[in-house]
Amino acid sequence: MSIWWSLRLRRDAASVPLARRLLLGAMETAGVDPDISYDLSVALTEACANAVEHGGGAARHPSSEAYRVTAYLEGEKCRIEVADEGPGFPAAAGGRAHPPARPAPYDAEHGRGLCLIQELADHVHIDNKPGHSGAVVSFDKILKRRKGAPLMAV
């Protein structure tokens, strides 16, 4: 069984719950264990919140006011990708993106999202879009299914 969807969303806080609800609905339909669904929905929420807050370009053109969310449920794995049109992450030596490596203090209101995504997902890739402005955060998680789930991987 395979499910995928892609959304282009306005960089507005109201768009984040829409992406989360769509993901949770797809997970429910696919019979994914609720704990796994919850972990992925929190990680997605963090990635979308980052795109909303940091994903705008310096120039005010229409593409900088949107971000894209794509989710793939393929067999026993889910991959989610959130891409924005912002300035991206600062470049480190060799030109690779250099996202923050150290988590924010536990009581900080900002700066914990990427670390939270890394804790909740099995594999995380954070980089800048090649040849374009913007950041891409993608993460995978191995799925567990509920007993008696109507849709199973084949």
Side-chain angles (χ1 to χ4, degrees):
M1 184 249 340
S2 176
I3 299 173
W4 75 270
W5 49 266
S6 186
L7 299 170
R8 184 173 184 269
L9 298 167
R10 182 177 300 280
R11 281 187 47 246
D12 183 279
S15 68
V16 177
L18 172 63
R20 183 178 177 138
R21 281 193 302 271
L22 186 57
L23 177 67
L24 287 170
M27 296 285 182
E28 174 69 22
T29 300
V32 174
D33 177 83
D35 291 336
I36 299 293
S37 296
Y38 179 77
D39 287 353
L40 282 168
S41 72
V42 171
L44 174 63
T45 298
E46 293 297 331
C48 289
N50 282 346
V52 167
E53 186 171 344
H54 306 291
R60 297 298 249 181
H61 57 83
S63 68
S64 71
E65 294 305 313
Y67 67 102
R68 180 167 303 281
V69 177
T70 306
Y72 305 89
L73 281 77
E74 184 75 42
E76 296 302 317
K77 182 171 89 172
C78 178
R79 166 166 282 171
I80 297 172
E81 180 177 287
V82 178
D84 65 45
E85 299 293 328
F89 295 101
R96 298 273 314 174
H98 184 65
R102 204 173 327 157
Y106 75 92
D107 58 348
E109 290 189 25
H110 299 287
R112 298 179 305 182
L114 293 176
C115 292
L116 196 56
I117 292 167
Q118 290 172 330
E119 289 297 318
L120 294 169
D122 295 328
H123 178 262
V124 179
H125 182 76
I126 300 168
D127 208 346
N128 291 326
K129 289 167 127 179
H132 302 285
S133 65
V136 179
V137 175
S138 64
F139 49 96
D140 301 339
K141 190 151 181 93
I142 302 299
L143 302 176
K144 288 190 277 183
R145 307 287 175 162
R146 293 187 321 264
K147 290 187 181 184
L151 295 177
M152 297 299 288
V154 276

